[in-house]
Amino acid sequence: MCKDCGCSIQDHDHTHQEGHSALHSNPQLNDAKTVEVITKILAKNAHEAGHNRAHFDAHKVLAINLMSAPGSGKTALLEKMAESGAFTFGVIEGDLETSLDAERIRAKGIPAFQIQTGSACHLDAFMVHKGLHEMPLDDLEVCFIENVGNLVCPASYDVGAHLNIVLVSVPEGSDKIEKYPVMFAKADLILITKTDLLPYFEYDIDHEKAQARRIKPNVDILAFSTKDEQSIQNVISWIKFKKSMRS
Amino acid sequence: MHEYSIVQALLEQCESHAQEYKATRITRVILKIGKLSGVEPYLLQSAFDAFKEGGICREALLQMELQNLVLHCEACGEDSEQSEICYQCKQCQSTQVRAVDGEEMFLMRLEME
Ligand SMILES: Nc1nc2c(ncn2[C@@H]2O[C@H](COP(=O)(O)OP(=O)(O)OP(=O)(O)O)[C@@H](O)[C@H]2O)c(=O)[nH]1
Ligand SMILES: [Mg+2]
Ligand SMILES: [Zn+2]
Ligand SMILES: [Zn+2]
């Protein structure tokens, strides 16, 4: 039984040895000492992320973390997924302020829970854990976690998703992947969004693809526009394929 | 500025290690910062200086060692250290790799009295 929340997930990867140190036999210090401790600084978050993944696994739900700069089209993508009716899903929304995004999702008949992070510029595994207990997981095939719009901070936090989709939109300019390599290195799928705007911007889509593959030669990349039905279908196919590989 | 939340987690760990060793103060904190951890050492330093006040680390020096990405290749079995951010085996060009170092931040050692 999960001691943090009382939910029925067995506690799993307790890597106790990670947090313990070399001087176990004699923890009394008499004078200055150097001790090896070797602990992940975000060990608590990592543990909670594992717990979240175990929740999703127990319900056979594929969890996908959506990350991008503010306004790249994360919520717009989710609205299109809702309209397609291609699979059942819920959304855990993270924003500094407001419940606007959760309201947009609920307006499409999709369960959504809003987390307001206040001053935190990212979601962490503890916030997502709160959200996932509000999701009707038994009825869902996929759970999206829409992270706070930010191309830096969310990359440091495992939230317990199985996959990361990182979005970057045409108006942001085609230098974002080289400027934010840590975020794009986390991506299982990079979505280049708002491609309907390509005629109005000097945007070199091939350059961006090449930059992405310099970092991660096998990363999946799709172009996406809310105005291009085929591009919506391509994202749906990618998600359904990933889901089928985990059933 | 997630460096603030990271420093808070770090200081909690320092407090609990100090308790375990019955130390009264920590004089040096040694970290390993992965180049792909998404953390800016400079910002971590200033967050540490701001938050250490009044706690067990009040007089502690923060020492950070930067860690390159290290990959284990599932195809050829070799480990390779990458000087650039690139998820591809240097020996055999396979992309069947997993990171074994360089993605995380570790508290490595503490000096305390
Ligand atoms: N032309 C065009 N506009 C788009 C597209 N996708 C999103 N937008 C517009 O871009 C703006 C931001 O979209 P959102 O979906 O709210 O972006 P977001 O990533 O959820 O933003 P935050 O949650 O605030 O980080 C809205 O005005 C959308 O209508 C697209 O494919 N084409
Ligand atoms: Mg949004
Ligand atoms: Zn739980
Ligand atoms: Zn190899």
Side-chain angles (χ1 to χ4, degrees):
Chain A
M1 187 74 82
C2 160
K3 65 175 180 330
D4 304 321
C5 63
C7 62
S8 58
I9 296 296
Q10 288 292 319
D11 229 343
H12 37 95
D13 62 336
H14 268 288
T15 41
H16 282 291
Q17 64 280 11
E18 255 190 295
H20 284 227
S21 30
L23 287 181
H24 246 170
S25 48
N26 180 20
Q28 189 75 47
L29 282 183
N30 296 316
D31 29 47
K33 273 227 166 81
T34 302
V35 290
E36 294 276 333
V37 288
I38 315 190
T39 328
K40 269 189 201 174
I41 296 177
L42 294 178
K44 280 189 183 159
N45 185 76
H47 182 260
E48 186 75 355
H51 173 73
N52 291 351
R53 241 183 316 271
H55 266 293
F56 290 124
D57 289 340
H59 294 274
K60 297 200 175 356
V61 170
L62 178 68
I64 302 178
N65 182 15
L66 297 180
M67 295 183 281
S68 79
S72 305
K74 300 179 291 299
T75 312
L77 168 72
L78 293 173
E79 287 170 327
K80 288 296 164 191
M81 295 296 106
E83 288 166 16
S84 78
F87 50 84
T88 56
F89 67 92
V91 182
I92 299 170
E93 280 288 351
D95 280 294
L96 297 171
E97 302 279 347
T98 79
S99 300
L100 295 171
D101 281 3
E103 283 158 26
R104 279 169 64 185
I105 300 300
R106 279 198 288 267
K108 300 280 178 190
I110 300 293
F113 181 78
Q114 181 78 47
I115 295 164
Q116 286 162 3
T117 58
S119 61
C121 40
H122 57 271
L123 287 174
D124 66 28
F126 292 91
M127 301 178 199
V128 168
H129 182 250
K130 242 175 69 187
L132 77 84
H133 279 289
E134 302 294 327
M135 287 284 120
L137 291 179
D138 279 331
D139 307 333
L140 305 179
E141 294 170 277
V142 176
C143 182
F144 290 100
I145 298 153
E146 184 185 330
N147 222 306
V148 179
N150 182 328
L151 269 180
V152 181
C153 310
S156 294
Y157 288 82
D158 184 358
V159 292
H162 300 103
L163 297 168
N164 294 324
I165 299 181
V166 182
L167 296 75
V168 58
S169 68
V170 165
E172 291 167 54
S174 44
D175 55 5
K176 288 299 163 293
I177 294 182
E178 10 182 0
K179 285 187 179 169
Y180 298 92
V182 173
M183 175 58 86
F184 289 95
K186 299 277 179 212
D188 296 290
L189 169 64
I190 294 174
L191 273 189
I192 299 176
T193 62
K194 310 193 191 180
T195 48
D196 56 290
L197 300 178
L198 278 171
Y200 310 101
F201 288 84
E202 276 176 37
Y203 187 91
D204 186 346
I205 199 165
D206 292 327
H207 171 82
E208 278 299 71
K209 288 182 180 171
Q211 289 301 324
R213 295 205 160 110
R214 245 175 53 141
I215 297 170
K216 215 172 167 183
N218 58 345
V219 68
D220 292 335
I221 305 174
L222 288 172
F224 180 82
S225 160
T226 53
K227 297 175 173 60
D228 175 355
E229 195 50 45
Q230 184 57 51
S231 77
I232 299 170
Q233 284 308 319
N234 291 346
V235 176
I236 291 169
S237 304
W238 187 87
I239 291 170
K240 286 190 150 177
F241 174 73
K242 291 295 181 183
K243 174 88 178 103
S244 72
M245 298 310 276
R246 288 175 175 270
S247 57
Chain B
M1 279 296 284
H2 58 310
E3 281 78 8
Y4 278 17
S5 14
I6 288 163
V7 160
Q8 269 156 353
L10 169 64
L11 289 174
E12 270 176 38
Q13 287 177 351
C14 291
E15 297 279 352
S16 88
H17 286 300
Q19 236 169 37
E20 185 183 353
Y21 289 104
K22 305 200 167 50
T24 53
R25 59 186 196 124
I26 291 175
T27 50
R28 193 183 290 266
V29 176
I30 297 131
L31 308 182
K32 180 166 77 172
I33 305 292
K35 286 206 178 148
L36 277 116
S37 66
V39 164
E40 185 52 56
Y42 166 78
L43 294 174
L44 203 61
Q45 179 72 60
S46 55
F48 185 81
D49 292 339
F51 281 109
K52 70 181 186 182
E53 292 303 318
I56 194 86
C57 289
R58 59 195 173 275
E59 291 154 53
L61 267 174
L62 185 66
Q63 184 179 326
M64 288 175 275
E65 292 158 8
L66 282 182
Q67 173 63 54
N68 277 333
L69 181 64
V70 179
L71 299 175
H72 175 75
C73 177
E74 309 285 3
C76 73
E78 292 287 317
D79 284 358
S80 54
E81 184 171 331
Q82 308 288 95
S83 48
E84 307 259 295
I85 300 179
C86 177
Y87 284 75
Q88 182 167 35
C89 174
K90 279 203 294 209
Q91 320 289 333
C92 76
Q93 314 308 316
S94 169
T95 54
Q96 297 298 100
V97 291
R98 82 189 140 77
V100 289
D101 210 351
E103 286 188 340
E104 306 272 356
M105 294 155 276
F106 287 92
L107 169 58
M108 300 301 288
R109 289 185 298 284
L110 290 172
E111 280 177 27
M112 44 189 161
E113 347 181 305

